[in-house]
Amino acid sequence: MNGLYRDTHNGKLSGVCAGVAARFGLEVWVVRILVVSATLLGGGFLMVLVYFAASLMLEKQTPQIFQSNQQQFDHQMKQKSWQSGRSAQDLLNILDTDFKHMEGSLRSLEAYVTSDTYKTNKAFRDL
């Protein structure tokens, strides 16, 4: 989330508004309303020109950046209503699911470490 990219996964045209929203931590609809308002209130040609230039100059968001941003978004709570993020209840549900997954992994690791198979493998490695 460090750079400014075109977010084609969440974008409608070329992803410029979605990329700006992701970069500054805003909801995409807020950026779109600002762009449409600026276009309708007299800056039509300038806004179209800036949008077109940004869609040509900004790099498309790579899958790695998208995945990183998505993981960060999954664990981010909204501070204000126009910021991107999840509600407190959604965040608690996601964290609960994450902790259940980690607990399952820990249980399987603990079962392996306390098994006879682990002791046998360890004895062969120590030879």
Side-chain angles (χ1 to χ4, degrees):
M1 216 154 144
N2 294 335
L4 184 59
Y5 299 97
R6 289 186 301 122
D7 184 1
T8 55
H9 296 295
N10 298 316
K12 295 292 183 191
L13 296 175
S14 66
V16 174
C17 290
V20 169
R23 171 65 176 95
F24 294 106
L26 300 169
E27 291 283 347
V28 179
W29 64 269
V30 172
V31 176
R32 288 181 184 140
I33 286 177
L34 290 174
V35 168
V36 169
S37 297
T39 302
L40 294 176
L41 295 175
F45 178 72
L46 181 62
M47 287 306 298
V48 169
L49 184 67
V50 167
Y51 190 91
F52 182 71
S55 67
L56 291 177
M57 292 188 320
L58 293 178
E59 291 183 32
K60 187 176 178 181
Q61 189 179 47
T62 63
Q64 294 85 6
I65 294 172
F66 175 73
Q67 189 175 33
S68 172
N69 288 348
Q70 193 63 36
Q71 287 174 350
Q72 183 177 2
F73 176 76
D74 283 345
H75 294 96
Q76 180 181 8
M77 187 167 70
K78 288 184 180 186
Q79 300 296 319
K80 298 184 173 90
S81 61
W82 62 84
Q83 290 179 323
S84 62
R86 301 211 180 255
S87 67
Q89 187 60 44
D90 288 343
L91 185 60
L92 286 174
N93 291 338
I94 290 169
L95 290 174
D96 185 48
T97 303
D98 289 349
F99 281 130
K100 284 180 182 176
H101 177 71
M102 284 188 276
E103 183 180 8
S105 298
L106 186 60
R107 284 179 189 255
S108 65
L109 178 66
E110 183 180 16
Y112 173 69
V113 169
T114 57
S115 71
D116 291 333
T117 306
Y118 175 77
K119 292 175 187 171
T120 305
N121 289 342
K122 184 174 180 337
F124 278 117
R125 275 185 303 209
D126 290 342
L127 288 178

